[in-house]
Amino acid sequence: MGILSFLGKQQEPDEDPKQKRKTSFRRYGSSVIDRLTQDFKGSMLTANGEIEASLRVMRGRSRQLAMDNDYASKFLKMVKANVVGVHGIQLQARSTREDGSLDKLDNDAIEASFKEWSLPENCSVTGRLSWVDIQRLVVESCARDGEVLVIKVRGFNNAFGFAVQIVEADHLDEDFNLTLTNGNRIIMSVEVNEWNAPVAYHLLTDHPNETSIMHKGRKYNRVPANDVCHLFITERASQLRGVPWMNTAMKRLNMVSGYEEAELIAARIGASKMGFYTSPDSDAYVGEEDESGNLVTDMEPGVFEQLPAGMSVQTFDPSHPNSAYQVFIKTVLRGASSGLNVAYNGLANDLEGVNFSSIRSGVLEEREHWRILQKWVSDQLHRPVYQAWLSSALRTQELKLPEKKFKKFTKVNWQPRGWAWVDPLKDQQANKLSIEMGTGTLTSICAAAGLNFIDVCAERKAELAVLESFGLTPNDILTPNKEVDDNE
């Protein structure tokens, strides 16, 4: 039967239209609405519409969890430790000469000058935060609040003429939305052009919950986008604001805290109260009463209290903690760990039942996520801040290099921290085999460990010079002395 004939048959008047819809219309199973999915609501709002309606509550709840919930606090510590680490994401200058070789003198000068700027008295407008401290604060703020602003303060009163200021996301008013006469729009305090690209940020001069702003009204300071690093994870194309990283795990983390508290209280009550005395003389009651005449009692181990006449006690023998407590907590925390994109064993400090293969598999997946975040921070924070610092340092000649070679000096790498493996011996053997086969390099191996190969070589050269000054070789250090072995 041809297509036209088939279509003609479908349109015959004696056919039930409802039946035709049922047989001809196909859909994804996940879109079907029935008695089991009536409460499964979808959303067709824009990314900014979703965020505007939810951000303030989400951010407040995330901060509350960070203050009161052990697992949320641990997650934030994991973010800081794994993304930034002890020494932070470090600068490696890679300026080259015309022949393509590294310009060691210029690179050493850049790294030394940037290290000097990284001190608290230079890099932070408050004079209290070093560059590593700023990195930790930025990633923690992003994880907890969903976003943070880093203002590039040019012309600051220091030797470099440059510093940075950390501004919390609260200073971006979610309710400030406006269409300007030049065609630009302000969406949740972010001014964008026709391409939805930020051109300025309208920052509240005071925190929205400070007393001054409540009495004087809201005042905004327009800051050009070129002077702002607005850090947040972009999840939808038109998104202009960030959401807390704990948003999908918040319910579980809050519930597990409440459940633990309930179990703890129930167990304490069950273990504390011993019993009661009864007496026909109501005047002999020595317990406390509130203003309404209700009995007031405290739970204390080893205590027997007397009841008023006519009162009786129904036995209460709670069996807490519940026998399923541990299994339930593990199940909830595994779900929360998936939402936080971290390994359950690390978040819960639970190594029970873990073997080498399982923990290695979990660690590898988690560390890949940390590397993604390290690259994101390097691109969104380190690169723009470095270029602004470089421009100011060259202009003030605190970095004594020619300003006209600015582009040459922008060639840098950002070296994040690395990790030691679960079984270092096997990994070192694998690295050695990789080099012998020609599939790996010393540079990549050092980078995976968070080390700079050039720095390693310089350190190694210095060590060899020290050994030579004492008439020793590396083998004298690595190989036990035969005479010493015989004496032992």
Side-chain angles (χ1 to χ4, degrees):
M1 181 182 293
I3 295 177
L4 293 177
S5 300
F6 177 78
L7 292 175
K9 184 177 180 181
Q10 291 293 89
Q11 297 172 355
E12 290 179 2
D14 59 343
E15 196 166 341
D16 185 359
K18 293 183 179 180
Q19 182 65 27
K20 185 185 80 167
R21 268 197 304 274
K22 290 181 180 178
T23 57
S24 64
F25 185 69
R26 303 283 295 176
R27 66 172 69 187
Y28 286 100
S30 59
S31 71
V32 174
I33 300 176
D34 54 25
R35 61 185 181 84
L36 298 177
T37 60
Q38 284 289 343
D39 61 344
F40 188 1
K41 304 296 183 182
S43 174
M44 298 300 292
L45 291 176
T46 65
N48 295 318
E50 295 275 13
I51 292 170
E52 182 180 354
S54 310
L55 180 56
R56 194 170 297 171
V57 174
M58 279 195 298
R59 189 167 59 220
R61 290 177 176 176
S62 182
R63 288 175 177 173
Q64 189 67 44
L65 286 172
M67 290 188 291
D68 297 336
N69 186 280
D70 298 321
Y71 301 109
S73 177
K74 176 63 182 295
F75 168 67
L76 296 178
K77 290 181 175 66
M78 293 174 71
V79 171
K80 289 190 292 184
N82 286 281
V83 177
V84 179
V86 176
H87 304 293
I89 300 176
Q90 299 184 27
L91 170 70
Q92 295 179 352
R94 288 293 180 267
S95 301
T96 57
R97 299 186 181 92
E98 292 183 359
D99 61 0
S101 61
L102 290 174
D103 192 331
K104 187 176 185 305
L105 291 176
D106 287 354
N107 290 333
D108 288 347
I110 292 171
E111 291 179 4
S113 184
F114 190 79
K115 185 177 181 180
E116 177 68 21
W117 175 79
S118 299
L119 297 174
E121 58 267 26
N122 289 325
C123 70
S124 169
V125 293
T126 63
R128 295 186 292 107
L129 300 174
S130 70
W131 178 233
V132 176
D133 294 331
I134 289 172
Q135 295 176 59
R136 295 196 191 103
L137 181 57
V138 164
V139 297
E140 181 178 21
S141 298
C142 285
R144 184 191 60 240
D145 303 339
E147 56 187 341
V148 70
L149 298 148
V150 180
I151 311 297
K152 294 175 278 188
V153 184
R154 309 174 200 273
F156 190 72
N157 185 26
N158 62 19
F160 296 89
F162 178 75
V164 295
Q165 178 187 13
I166 311 299
V167 177
E168 287 189 317
D170 306 70
H171 289 263
L172 285 177
D173 185 2
E174 295 85 5
D175 297 328
F176 187 28
N177 298 280
L178 189 66
T179 299
L180 303 178
T181 55
N182 61 359
N184 288 352
R185 294 173 299 154
I186 300 176
I187 303 174
M188 292 184 287
S189 294
V190 182
E191 183 179 339
V192 297
N193 61 16
E194 58 181 321
W195 302 104
N196 209 45
V199 296
Y201 292 84
H202 296 257
L203 304 180
L204 287 167
T205 55
D206 297 295
H207 192 282
N209 293 324
E210 288 184 354
T211 305
S212 59
I213 196 171
M214 293 178 179
H215 288 85
K216 298 177 182 178
R218 302 197 169 197
K219 297 181 180 179
Y220 301 90
N221 181 28
R222 186 180 185 274
V223 182
N226 188 47
D227 291 333
V228 179
C229 297
H230 184 198
L231 288 96
F232 66 92
I233 299 292
T234 303
E235 296 175 335
R236 292 179 62 179
S238 60
Q239 183 177 341
L240 292 174
R241 300 288 300 273
V243 298
W245 296 0
M246 293 190 287
N247 72 89
T248 61
M250 281 185 195
K251 283 186 177 180
R252 281 188 172 92
L253 293 177
N254 185 54
M255 291 297 180
V256 79
S257 291
Y259 176 61
E260 285 182 329
E261 182 182 18
E263 284 285 353
L264 180 62
I265 292 173
R268 181 180 176 185
I269 291 173
S272 295
K273 181 63 70 177
M274 300 300 293
F276 297 90
Y277 297 113
T278 59
S279 170
D281 183 6
S282 60
D283 294 335
Y285 176 65
V286 295
E288 297 183 10
E289 297 180 356
D290 62 15
E291 295 178 355
S292 302
N294 299 315
L295 302 185
V296 177
T297 182
D298 294 324
M299 294 301 166
E300 186 177 342
V303 171
F304 282 77
E305 290 188 359
Q306 183 173 340
L307 291 175
M311 289 278 186
S312 63
V313 174
Q314 185 174 351
T315 304
F316 175 60
D317 186 19
S319 55
H320 291 275
N322 191 287
S323 59
Y325 170 79
Q326 186 176 10
V327 176
F328 177 78
I329 290 294
K330 282 188 174 183
T331 302
V332 174
L333 288 181
R334 284 192 176 102
S337 300
S338 297
L340 299 174
N341 216 352
V342 298
Y344 158 77
N345 307 95
L347 181 69
N349 287 320
D350 183 7
L351 298 178
E352 182 181 353
V354 172
N355 56 41
F356 174 79
S357 299
S358 63
I359 196 170
R360 181 180 176 87
S361 176
V363 163
L364 286 173
E365 182 179 355
E366 182 181 310
R367 287 179 180 175
E368 194 61 31
H369 172 63
W370 297 133
R371 289 191 180 97
I372 292 172
L373 291 178
Q374 287 173 339
K375 182 65 167 61
W376 170 74
V377 173
S378 299
D379 291 341
Q380 300 297 319
L381 174 66
H382 291 72
R383 184 179 60 84
V385 168
Y386 168 75
Q387 291 187 0
W389 166 83
L390 179 63
S391 177
S392 294
L394 291 174
R395 186 178 62 255
T396 60
Q397 278 299 288
E398 189 66 20
L399 173 59
K400 293 178 173 52
L401 293 173
E403 189 174 358
K404 64 182 180 181
K405 293 186 177 181
F406 172 83
K407 187 174 182 180
K408 170 187 175 180
F409 305 139
T410 58
K411 296 179 180 178
V412 298
N413 288 339
W414 295 102
Q415 179 60 57
R417 62 150 293 178
W419 297 272
W421 292 108
V422 179
D423 191 341
L425 177 60
K426 290 183 178 179
D427 285 291
Q428 293 297 339
Q429 290 173 340
N431 288 336
K432 183 174 181 293
L433 181 60
S434 176
I435 292 174
E436 291 173 351
M437 294 175 61
T439 58
T441 64
L442 291 171
T443 300
S444 62
I445 292 171
C446 288
L451 302 172
N452 181 351
F453 176 63
I454 295 177
D455 292 342
V456 171
C457 290
E459 196 171 328
R460 181 67 172 159
K461 182 180 179 181
E463 287 181 344
L464 293 174
V466 172
L467 289 172
E468 185 178 357
S469 68
F470 284 95
L472 299 172
T473 67
N475 287 335
D476 296 324
I477 303 296
L478 300 174
T479 306
N481 186 282
K482 187 176 186 304
E483 183 178 346
V484 174
D485 290 343
D486 292 340
N487 291 335
E488 290 178 350

